[in-house]
Amino acid sequence: MSDLTRFSINQMTVKQLTLPELVAACRDLGVPAVGLWREPVQEYGVDATAKLVRDAGLAVTTLCRGGFLTAVDPEERAAALADNRRAVDEAATLGTDTLVLVSGGLPPGTKDLRAARERIADALTELAPYAEDHGVKLAIEPLHPMFASDRCVVSTLTQALDLAERFPAHQVGVTVDTYHIWWDDTAPEAIARAGAQHRIHTFQLADWITPLPEGVLNGRGQIGDGAIDMREWQGYVEAAGYTGSIEVELFNEELWARDGRELLAETARRWAENVDV
Amino acid sequence: MSDLTRFSINQMTVKQLTLPELVAACRDLGVPAVGLWREPVQEYGVDATAKLVRDAGLAVTTLCRGGFLTAVDPEERAAALADNRRAVDEAATLGTDTLVLVSGGLPPGTKDLRAARERIADALTELAPYAEDHGVKLAIEPLHPMFASDRCVVSTLTQALDLAERFPAHQVGVTVDTYHIWWDDTAPEAIARAGAQHRIHTFQLADWITPLPEGVLNGRGQIGDGAIDMREWQGYVEAAGYTGSIEVELFNEELWARDGRELLAETARRWAENVDV
């Protein structure tokens, strides 16, 4: 059997499984860690989820996700900050030290990416110390540029690092996700920079397949099915000093239509075939 | 009536119009220039098209497109080079000095973007002198990173310039298209670099709208409908010394379903509202 010590399954990959089903499947397959999402965790109960994973001996590598910090309207901004504080609280309760942040897109009717990125920095000034007080690190995730207008104005690892570097590394770092950065020939250098500063807070895998579906959100490919050389990217993060979990996070309608337990087994197998452990 | 002196309509924007219909509509609306596409031109006849636009006094700003130069297979590579020489010939016949190049994606089963980009450079070594001999400049077009695997391994203006700079500026430059680079905070600097080297061979506009359609190819927005500040980008290319045409190139199923002449009038109006002339 493959060595799955560094494997983590992001809950969204197998979202057809309930939390108890996910935990049971992880136990049966020898999967040691999960990345969780706020919505299903809230539905099951944050404390109940914490107990469930703790009793099963599962590590929680990340909580997805905070962020959406680009609002101009003061009330919206205050609501976003309050929601992010709750996300920090939830991460602490779940026993993970990493909260993934997806920045948010352009507010309706605006066209200024630079100003939107600056509002994220402002918000982090309030959030980062709060996270530190709760033992949680924020991991800014650059999303693929195709999400720049409606989901995440932070499109490259360099942009994410430029934001993160305004704060101590134990407060704010980055998420390195192959799906979002594989096309970027400046990303390897940014990974080296992030590693030298101890800011690689999580490393996630998804493969790039085409054609992209309408809306492009749920088109991530199973590991090994697409254009991305996973070992190449693993090489970059490890050369930069990263030794943590390697999490698989897929959003894919076809995969979600399949049996969740079988999909988890396939994902673990594909992971082991495509990374060096 | 607006000053359309610097307006050019890319044929693909109003592909529901036949070439004679396009030329007549341009004449009636005072549109002084067109960007042409090889397939409809070949269908109508290259010489016949050249005569049609010449007799109407229309300038041809660009021919789209050559490229697709990433093949590994020697026969495929030779065929691509031969096809690109024909594209150069067609550009010369049509009276345009600019052939837009879309590089091509990853050959099936390969994952090495760097090697694919290097094969483009190799191909340009053969093509660029041929183009110069025919009075044609090659304009490498970086496409949005969402096309990196299946259409164009050149994803940023910086990558395009890194390729172009291996050749004299009158042989190889770049296409600056707002749709592909608007998210990139390093693009303004790359535009300045391109301008200083006289490598901005064409400047094209399309707006960014969401949700993207399946396959993402035909989701470009009408000027003014989306997230891109056209004046900002016009400012960058003009600060870099660009004084040429500003061409509108949209691919959009909804726009194509409309009356072509009415769409051309709307596009000219939107252009005039969103750029400084």
Side-chain angles (χ1 to χ4, degrees):
Chain A
M1 189 159 160
S2 307
D3 177 3
L4 297 178
T5 310
R6 293 181 64 198
F7 178 58
S8 175
I9 185 73
N10 187 285
Q11 175 173 23
M12 192 59 92
T13 305
V14 286
K15 74 166 187 174
Q16 58 270 63
L17 297 177
T18 64
L19 269 163
E21 287 170 350
L22 173 63
V23 168
C26 285
R27 187 193 53 217
D28 294 349
L29 292 162
V31 174
V34 292
L36 296 175
W37 275 67
R38 294 184 69 198
E39 294 75 5
V41 164
Q42 287 168 355
E43 201 172 316
Y44 189 76
V46 181
D47 289 325
T49 305
K51 180 172 180 356
L52 185 73
V53 295
R54 198 171 51 235
D55 288 352
L58 271 178
V60 182
T61 46
T62 57
L63 179 65
C64 297
R65 61 199 182 177
F68 296 91
L69 297 167
T70 53
V72 175
D73 177 79
E75 278 187 34
E76 280 180 52
R77 177 183 151 80
L81 283 168
D83 187 55
N84 274 274
R85 281 189 211 98
R86 279 193 298 275
V88 168
D89 298 343
E90 291 164 12
T93 301
L94 294 166
T96 178
D97 65 356
T98 303
L99 175 65
V100 174
L101 295 189
V102 171
S103 303
L106 286 171
T110 72
K111 304 190 183 203
D112 191 340
L113 288 170
R114 208 172 295 115
R117 291 176 189 134
E118 214 41 53
R119 287 194 298 278
I120 298 162
D122 284 348
L124 291 177
T125 305
E126 300 189 28
L127 273 183
Y130 183 86
E132 182 184 3
D133 289 344
H134 292 73
V136 174
K137 298 176 289 187
L138 306 176
I140 301 172
E141 180 166 25
L143 293 203
H144 192 285
M146 68 189 176
F147 296 117
S149 73
D150 59 352
R151 198 166 293 268
C152 185
V153 295
V154 176
S155 301
T156 64
L157 205 49
T158 297
Q159 290 172 352
L161 268 177
D162 287 347
L163 278 170
E165 281 181 352
R166 304 190 193 186
F167 305 90
H170 64 275
Q171 286 185 353
V172 185
V174 296
T175 296
V176 176
D177 184 322
T178 57
Y179 189 76
H180 298 301
I181 64 170
W182 76 281
W183 56 271
D184 181 2
D185 59 353
T186 71
E189 194 182 316
I191 288 173
R193 178 180 151 204
Q197 301 174 8
H198 306 288
R199 290 189 199 269
I200 304 177
H201 290 346
T202 175
F203 176 46
Q204 301 182 332
L205 307 184
D207 215 338
W208 181 269
I209 56 172
T210 56
L212 292 163
E214 185 184 354
V216 304
L217 189 60
N218 300 328
R220 302 195 196 185
Q222 177 60 281
I223 308 306
D225 279 352
I228 306 177
D229 182 340
M230 299 298 165
R231 280 191 174 80
E232 181 187 348
W233 292 97
Q234 182 189 11
Y236 297 137
V237 298
E238 294 189 354
Y242 183 79
T243 56
S245 283
I246 303 176
E247 190 174 319
V248 176
E249 185 187 45
L250 311 177
F251 300 179
N252 184 304
E253 299 287 352
E254 284 177 35
L255 298 180
W256 288 333
R258 289 169 44 186
D259 176 76
R261 187 176 268 260
E262 194 271 319
L263 174 60
L264 177 52
E266 175 188 276
T267 304
R269 201 164 59 240
R270 291 296 192 89
W271 181 91
E273 289 165 6
N274 285 278
V275 301
D276 287 318
V277 289
Chain B
M1 188 160 162
S2 309
D3 176 4
L4 297 178
T5 310
R6 293 180 65 198
F7 178 57
S8 175
I9 184 74
N10 187 284
Q11 178 174 21
M12 192 58 93
T13 306
V14 286
K15 73 166 187 176
Q16 59 271 61
L17 297 178
T18 64
L19 270 162
E21 287 170 350
L22 173 64
V23 168
C26 285
R27 187 195 53 219
D28 295 347
L29 292 162
V31 174
V34 293
L36 296 175
W37 275 67
R38 296 184 67 198
E39 295 75 5
V41 164
Q42 288 167 356
E43 202 173 312
Y44 189 76
V46 180
D47 289 326
T49 304
K51 181 173 178 357
L52 186 72
V53 295
R54 199 171 50 236
D55 289 352
L58 271 178
V60 182
T61 46
T62 57
L63 179 64
C64 296
R65 58 201 185 174
F68 297 92
L69 298 167
T70 53
V72 176
D73 177 77
E75 278 188 36
E76 280 179 51
R77 178 183 151 80
L81 283 169
D83 186 55
N84 275 274
R85 281 189 212 96
R86 278 193 298 276
V88 167
D89 298 344
E90 292 163 12
T93 301
L94 294 166
T96 179
D97 64 356
T98 303
L99 176 64
V100 174
L101 294 188
V102 172
S103 304
L106 286 171
T110 71
K111 304 190 182 202
D112 191 340
L113 288 170
R114 210 173 291 115
R117 291 177 189 136
E118 214 42 53
R119 287 195 298 279
I120 298 162
D122 284 348
L124 291 177
T125 305
E126 300 189 29
L127 273 183
Y130 182 86
E132 182 184 5
D133 288 346
H134 292 74
V136 174
K137 298 176 290 187
L138 306 176
I140 301 172
E141 179 165 24
L143 293 202
H144 192 283
M146 67 189 177
F147 297 116
S149 72
D150 59 353
R151 197 166 293 267
C152 186
V153 296
V154 177
S155 303
T156 64
L157 204 50
T158 297
Q159 289 171 353
L161 268 178
D162 287 346
L163 279 169
E165 281 181 353
R166 304 190 195 188
F167 306 90
H170 63 275
Q171 287 185 350
V172 185
V174 297
T175 296
V176 176
D177 184 322
T178 57
Y179 189 76
H180 298 302
I181 65 170
W182 76 280
W183 56 272
D184 181 2
D185 59 353
T186 72
E189 195 183 316
I191 288 173
R193 177 179 151 206
Q197 301 175 6
H198 306 286
R199 290 189 198 269
I200 303 177
H201 290 346
T202 176
F203 176 46
Q204 300 181 334
L205 308 184
D207 215 338
W208 182 269
I209 55 172
T210 56
L212 292 162
E214 185 183 355
V216 304
L217 189 59
N218 300 329
R220 302 195 196 185
Q222 177 61 281
I223 309 306
D225 279 352
I228 305 177
D229 182 340
M230 300 298 164
R231 281 191 173 81
E232 180 186 349
W233 293 96
Q234 182 188 13
Y236 296 137
V237 298
E238 295 190 352
Y242 182 80
T243 56
S245 283
I246 303 176
E247 190 174 319
V248 176
E249 185 187 45
L250 311 178
F251 301 178
N252 184 305
E253 300 287 354
E254 283 178 35
L255 298 180
W256 289 333
R258 289 169 43 186
D259 176 75
R261 186 177 268 259
E262 193 272 320
L263 174 60
L264 177 53
E266 174 188 275
T267 304
R269 201 166 56 241
R270 291 295 192 91
W271 180 92
E273 288 166 4
N274 285 278
V275 301
D276 287 319
V277 289

